[in-house]
Amino acid sequence: MRLPAAGIAVLLTGMPTFADANDTMAELAAGGLTFVTADDVTMQSEDLYISPKEVRVDYVFHNGGDHDRTTVVAFPMPDVEGSGDFIVSVPDPDSDNFMDFSVAVDGQPVTPEVDRHAFAVDVDVTGELQDHGVPLLPFGDATGNALAALPKDLIADWISRGIVIPMDYDDGSGWKTDYVPVWKLKTTYWWRTTFPAGRDIRVAHRYTPSVGSTAGLNFIGSDENAPFTGEDFEREQRRYCFDDDFIKAVASRLDAARAADSYLQESWISYVLTTGANWGGTIGRFHLTVDKGDPGTLVSFCGDGVEKTGPTTFELTADDFYPERDIDIALVNRPTD
């Protein structure tokens, strides 16, 4: 596992990553805090825990100046874009807080403000959706039901403007049409925090990650005699830093799955580190824990100095850490019974 021993920046936004729709869930990469720079305030440390069920991030800031500083701290959620071709894994699609985000400052819960805007072909359509009672999240039963109830002339207008697309299908009782959202939702949670002069302040947040998954392995080539070759394999090997031990373990699992007339499950988790435009320095100490969840699951991600610290956990620590790449984690599960 190979990750540049650099550092994390404070602007950590998320972008959607999609995979093929057949038996596939796409993941959304979520990151961390956006910090509106305040003089004399530095990030002393970040402790990041990533698992398929939870992401936990704990920061320590220090105000080395002579005056308290009050500024905005924000958490930009991943962009969520509707599509007729992709299924996106969203933990709670019918909630405004669709990844169950929470924040605390010095152990005290904070209720953040939320800023949400929907865009279709780069045009803000937030007001239109709200005026017609359509939820802004482009997934979920509530959104689908609201679109189905709209007048046909309005739907025709929205199709022409790239807000929705028609999807025709036959469910066995004749042809039907659903109207699929294709707008993009941008969501940011934000709050004001005071950094007391000469003191540390601790900021913590938690959320449920979006985990992409597929029945089968995206990186396996079509040639059974050379399955670990081809463009798909090379692309994922670069992204997840597959090493020889990981490939051998996958090959063994593949043989067992085929003998049992079964398959392997590939999953992905992403955490965006590289968009650190609002932070001009490094983090004094960065600590990452990746927990694969199941001892039988295979895991691969890029990192220098990664150590296995438990049956399911892997850790690395770096000083003066500056981000050079995002954290992308590949998981391969046991054959399905």
Side-chain angles (χ1 to χ4, degrees), residues 107-221:
Q108 297 301 310
V110 172
T111 301
E113 302 289 338
V114 61
D115 181 74
R116 304 195 309 150
H117 289 273
F119 294 86
V121 199
D122 295 327
V123 175
D124 192 331
V125 295
T126 308
E128 269 190 275
L129 295 175
Q130 291 174 332
D131 288 345
H132 292 283
V134 178
L136 297 184
L137 186 67
F139 295 98
D141 292 339
T143 302
N145 293 337
L147 289 174
L150 294 178
K152 296 300 182 185
D153 58 342
L154 180 62
I155 283 290
D157 176 61
W158 285 12
I159 291 172
S160 69
R161 295 165 54 199
I163 300 174
V164 299
I165 59 173
M167 294 287 290
D168 299 322
Y169 64 97
D170 185 351
D171 63 0
S173 62
W175 284 94
K176 294 179 173 60
T177 302
D178 284 343
Y179 300 101
V180 178
V182 288
W183 64 80
K184 180 187 296 183
L185 177 63
K186 293 180 175 290
T187 303
T188 300
Y189 292 95
W190 63 273
W191 59 96
R192 293 189 181 276
T193 295
T194 296
F195 298 86
R199 278 185 46 198
D200 289 347
I201 187 171
R202 287 168 169 76
V203 178
H205 63 74
R206 308 286 185 264
Y207 62 91
T208 303
S210 171
V211 180
S213 62
T214 181
L217 303 179
N218 279 352
F219 56 84
I220 295 299

